[in-house]
Every structure is written in structure tokens, then in C-alpha cells.
Amino acid sequence: MQHRVALVVDDDKEIRDAIEIYLKNEGLLVLKAKDGLEALETLESNEVHLIILDIMMPRLDGIAATFKIREHRNIPILMLSAKSEDSDKILGLHVGADDYVTKPFNPMELVARVKSLLRRYVTFGSYEGAKNTIDLHGLALNLEGKEVSVNGESVKLTPIEYKIVELLMTNAGRVFSIQEIYERVWREPGFNAENTVAVHIRKIREKIEIDPKNPRYLKVVWGIGYKMEK
């Protein structure tokens, strides 16, 4: 992870400094901000590859900051939340966060999630033998350029959203369980993954479907999981 830059955003200086130590030990360069507004200012003048963002902060909280960041950037966002903020975690995923860690967090878990998000953001991965472009009746996936479009119009996806679309489109017609999607995309055991996956599926539908409530492409198979319609 040499030369990758992480932005740590938290109003607690001790937490910012502790996370900086963990990430520097892994070879990352670290920038810090004490709230969402300072984070947005930092992004304007620095190249950042990942953001660790607390939910509860003064001036501009993590939810509002994520919403603003996602207007222009697809940088991976890892949210920090207290155990009492379950609804906020779901809202954070809904507006564009890629993952979250609950405070107090295990430093090894935090580092593992950071590494996983950076791996996907920098390389996105690929599927051996796959065609460079897959087209499902107007929904197109460019595997080489890592781009998704609908009827020729580019769709902005977060790294996690892209990986879900890539998984389902390269296996069009196959049904994946929620647990399998989580394990293939997040690369960790899919325990209690229902809400996390469902939020990302909802966001993907809002971006690729004309009518998200009656999806043409990304279908639910009740009691089993999801598939991309051939």
C-alpha cells in the first residue's frame, strides 16, 4: 500500500492520531481532518485513495459529508460508528459509504478493511477469460475500463457497487445468495450481511434502472438472492 493516501476524519484527536499510527505502520500516507467540512477542503487539494469517516461530528457530520463526496468522487469510504448508531450506519451505506467499523474497533479489523477497500479501488480485480465488454440489453460493463453504462450513458458507481455489478453481470442468469455476494465482494465471512448487501443493491438499482421498483436488470429471487437478468 505504498504511496496510497488515506484521509482520517474524526472530531476526536486521539482517535485520529491512533488510526494514523495503524495506517502508517502499513505504509500508507495519512491526512487528517476534524470534521466533514475540513475533509471536503482537504479533498480539493490532495489526491486521496480512501476515507475513514466518523458519523457523529460537528459542523458537517459523516452522513452529509458522504453525500457531498459522492457527488463527484468514488473514493472508498469506511465509516466509523458507535454501537448505538445502527440506523445511521444503514443511512451511511445508503448515501454511498462502502463499509463501516463499530467503535470501539479492533485495530487489526480496521486495517484489514482498509486493505480490502484499497485493493478493490486500485485494481478492482478481474475475471479470467471474461470478455472486455458485456452488454445486457443496454446495460453495458466494460471490464477493461471498469465502467458501467446504461444505453450509452455512463453510470457512476462506488467501488463496492461496481464489484457487485461486475460479479452479477459476468455471471448473468446465475442467482447469488446474499452471503455469497458479501463473501465474493467484501472477501470476508458473510454473517449478518443482509442489510449491507440490500442497501448496496438498492443504490445500484437507483442508478441503472429506469424504474427501481420494477427492475429490468437486477432481479431478486425471493428466498434465495439476486441475479442479473440475461
Side-chain angles (χ1 to χ4, degrees):
M1 295 197 292
Q2 292 288 336
H3 309 303
R4 301 300 174 193
V5 180
L7 173 58
V8 179
V9 189
D10 198 300
D11 60 328
D12 188 321
K13 184 179 184 301
E14 290 186 3
I15 292 178
R16 292 197 305 269
D17 292 346
I19 294 175
E20 179 182 22
I21 293 171
Y22 305 146
L23 298 186
K24 280 188 172 181
N25 286 339
E26 297 297 326
L28 272 81
L29 302 176
V30 178
L31 302 174
K32 295 182 287 185
K34 63 179 178 295
D35 57 47
L37 286 179
E38 191 171 303
L40 295 177
E41 293 170 0
T42 302
L43 288 172
E44 289 299 320
S45 55
N46 295 275
E47 181 180 7
V48 173
H49 303 100
L50 177 134
I51 303 171
I52 298 176
L53 186 64
D54 188 31
I55 288 181
M56 299 300 293
M57 294 183 294
R59 297 210 298 170
L60 190 69
D61 65 26
I63 301 296
T66 297
F67 187 80
K68 295 292 292 183
I69 292 166
R70 282 291 175 253
E71 290 179 355
H72 305 289
R73 295 176 173 85
N74 286 331
I75 304 167
I77 297 175
L78 175 66
M79 278 199 156
L80 300 178
S81 69
K83 288 184 178 180
S84 60
E85 297 164 0
D86 283 344
S87 60
D88 288 330
K89 287 186 291 192
I90 299 303
L91 180 57
L93 293 171
H94 184 73
V95 299
D98 296 288
D99 203 353
Y100 63 82
V101 171
T102 301
K103 295 179 181 179
F105 53 82
N106 182 314
M108 293 180 63
E109 178 188 3
L110 178 71
V111 168
R113 289 179 183 270
V114 165
K115 286 182 175 180
S116 180
L117 285 172
L118 276 174
R119 244 188 338 260
R120 290 195 293 271
Y121 179 61
V122 174
T123 68
F124 280 112
S126 61
Y127 292 85
E128 294 184 6
K131 297 184 296 181
N132 284 337
T133 302
I134 299 172
D135 192 302
L136 302 177
H137 304 288
L139 176 63
L141 171 69
N142 183 323
L143 288 162
E144 185 174 341
K146 307 303 178 186
E147 297 174 342
V148 175
S149 62
V150 178
N151 297 324
E153 294 190 11
S154 179
V155 176
K156 290 185 177 180
L157 300 176
T158 68
I160 290 290
E161 290 167 357
Y162 175 85
K163 283 298 292 182
I164 293 172
V165 171
E166 183 186 56
L167 172 65
L168 297 180
M169 287 190 70
T170 53
N171 295 277
R174 175 182 167 183
V175 181
F176 286 85
S177 69
I178 289 173
Q179 181 175 342
E180 188 172 8
I181 291 173
Y182 190 90
E183 291 177 351
R184 295 280 290 269
V185 171
W186 277 263
R187 298 185 183 278
E188 61 185 36
F191 302 121
N192 301 317
E194 289 81 3
N195 283 337
T196 300
V197 172
V199 167
H200 283 85
I201 293 292
R202 189 183 313 125
K203 292 297 293 182
I204 292 169
R205 281 177 169 164
E206 290 173 357
K207 295 178 180 182
I208 69 173
E209 303 283 0
I210 295 175
D211 182 1
K213 293 183 179 180
N214 296 287
R216 178 185 182 189
Y217 303 113
L218 212 173
K219 303 277 192 175
V220 62
V221 180
W222 295 107
I224 303 177
Y226 298 97
K227 69 174 181 176
M228 196 68 76
E229 196 73 271
K230 280 188 175 181

